[in-house]
Amino acid sequence: MSATIIDGKAFAARIRGEVAQHVTRLKDEHSITPGLAVVLVGEDPASEVYVAAKHKQTVEVGMASFERRLPADVSEEALFALIDELNADPNVHGILCQFPVPDQLDERRVVARIDPAKDVDGLSVVNAGLLASGEKGLVSCTPLGCLMLLRDQVGNMSGKEAVVIGRSNLFGKPMGQLLLQENCTVTIAHSRTQDLAAVCRRADILVAAVGRAEMVKSDWVKPGATVIDVGITRIPHPEKPGKSKLLGDVDFASAAEVAGAITPVPGGVGPMTIACLLANTLTACCRANGFDEPEGLTA
Ligand code: NAP
């Protein structure tokens, strides 16, 4: 194995440590505690796990965590009333609604109801537009996490060929915009891209966000490239009955022989997402109070 393994778990811990320091300063110097509100509709078991992890890490960095639960059959009107209440609450600087939501609710309308200045998931049309225009907004957490890993690993990305596989609003499009801001030459590939392997082989920076296990083979990787694997596919564990195993979009073992640096799955991009949610909440709090943004924690 020749590639440097990018340790997202350690990096995320570092980011959370930086966030915690800023939180302490805000409390000590200004008596302000950044607050994150998470809205959970229904009792989806996977969502319960994510919400619990977010709560734990929010409290660990010293922020206030407001968890608001609504029944699975909640009306749009009642959900919007709660979001309006959180939008108006000065102690709440970040709001996210855990997705998926039940069928009677429309995710786009839910996101649109959240004040863009508190949309710490960065999913609103307003924040997507600000990113596309090169203006300051809140950036979707997973692409922001990948950007932080890349800045740390690659340093100056100017002029590099970057290929992002996947064009979702959640990940691929904002990732492409962020790489463009770093002055990369960006290609966003997707299911209709012709000769994807050849497109990927051009990449100095290859970011895969598809959700197809081990799709990216070693001969798709340019020697020395930095490979960021966002994809997550859960399969039954081959050796541990009843347990599951996570696979990325990249055939890790073979790609690591060719790449210069690569993120593993798990332990690569995954831990960065909540760390960046906390970073975004801190940023939103600083902006709301007219303070300087935390350096190194924004796009
Ligand atoms: P998504 O909305 O399903 O988008 C997948 C993208 O992959 C689409 O743009 C699709 O192209 C493209 N695609 C599908 N098959 C392809 C193929 N054979 N060749 C090339 N492109 C193909 O998914 P997403 O929300 O962006 O997430 C992508 C993956 O990242 C998932 O595995 C998800 O679990 C993971 N993820 C992880 C984190 C994390 O925290 N680690 C966060 C977010 C997402 P079309 O647009 O043409 O259909």
Side-chain angles (χ1 to χ4, degrees):
M1 193 176 289
S2 59
T4 300
I5 309 302
I6 299 171
D7 186 346
K9 204 172 160 191
F11 197 87
R14 198 172 108 194
I15 297 295
R16 291 196 304 274
E18 285 178 30
V19 170
Q21 280 179 14
H22 285 283
V23 171
T24 303
R25 191 178 46 80
L26 283 172
K27 283 181 177 174
D28 290 351
E29 294 177 13
H30 304 284
S31 302
I32 292 169
T33 303
L36 172 64
V38 176
V39 179
L40 177 60
V41 182
E43 289 167 4
D44 176 61
S47 293
E48 295 272 359
V49 173
Y50 293 134
V51 168
K54 286 169 186 171
H55 170 76
K56 181 170 174 280
Q57 293 186 32
T58 303
V59 172
E60 275 171 6
V61 297
M63 290 184 181
S65 171
F66 306 95
E67 209 174 285
R68 305 295 291 265
R69 288 170 177 264
L70 293 170
D73 62 354
V74 71
S75 65
E76 183 186 77
E77 199 186 5
L79 173 59
F80 282 7
L82 173 60
I83 293 174
D84 291 348
E85 180 197 320
L86 296 170
N87 281 340
D89 187 340
N91 296 313
V92 173
H93 304 97
I95 303 169
L96 76 84
C97 183
Q98 186 67 43
F99 290 151
V101 285
D103 288 346
Q104 78 275 16
L105 302 168
D106 177 341
E107 290 185 356
R108 286 168 307 176
R109 285 175 57 82
V110 174
V111 168
R113 193 75 180 196
I114 297 171
D115 177 351
K118 297 188 178 188
D119 166 33
V120 281
D121 254 345
L123 296 179
S124 66
V125 169
V126 172
N127 278 315
L130 289 170
L131 177 62
S133 313
E135 290 181 43
K136 279 192 185 302
L138 289 164
V139 176
S140 179
C141 301
T142 307
L144 179 59
C146 293
L147 177 73
M148 288 184 187
L149 291 176
L150 282 166
R151 279 180 176 160
D152 186 62
Q153 183 62 42
V154 180
N156 183 0
M157 287 177 256
S158 184
K160 301 226 178 268
E161 285 276 349
V163 174
V164 180
I165 322 175
R167 57 174 164 180
S168 66
N169 290 334
L170 175 71
F171 185 82
K173 285 178 193 158
M175 189 73 242
Q177 294 289 352
L178 290 171
L179 289 165
L180 200 55
Q181 270 183 20
E182 297 295 307
N183 296 317
C184 292
T185 302
V186 180
T187 303
I188 301 184
H190 46 77
S191 66
R192 316 289 169 87
T193 298
Q194 305 219 345
D195 199 353
L196 183 58
V199 172
C200 291
R201 265 195 299 276
R202 292 204 308 257
D204 302 305
I205 294 167
L206 178 60
V207 184
V210 177
R212 290 171 70 106
E214 300 184 333
M215 180 182 92
V216 176
K217 304 298 178 197
S218 59
D219 61 352
W220 295 27
V221 177
K222 179 177 175 178
T226 301
V227 179
I228 304 290
D229 191 352
V230 183
I232 300 174
T233 305
R234 196 175 285 275
I235 59 158
H237 200 289
E239 284 125 39
K240 298 178 189 160
K243 300 260 179 211
S244 60
K245 183 181 174 187
L246 298 185
L247 291 177
D249 285 345
V250 180
D251 183 354
F252 179 82
S254 69
E257 300 290 339
V258 183
I262 187 167
T263 57
V265 175
V269 171
M272 291 300 292
T273 299
I274 299 183
C276 287
L277 176 67
L278 302 175
N280 274 348
T281 304
L282 175 67
T283 299
C285 176
C286 290
R287 286 179 186 162
N289 288 284
F291 303 141
D292 289 344
E293 287 174 14
E295 216 172 296
L297 297 174
T298 58

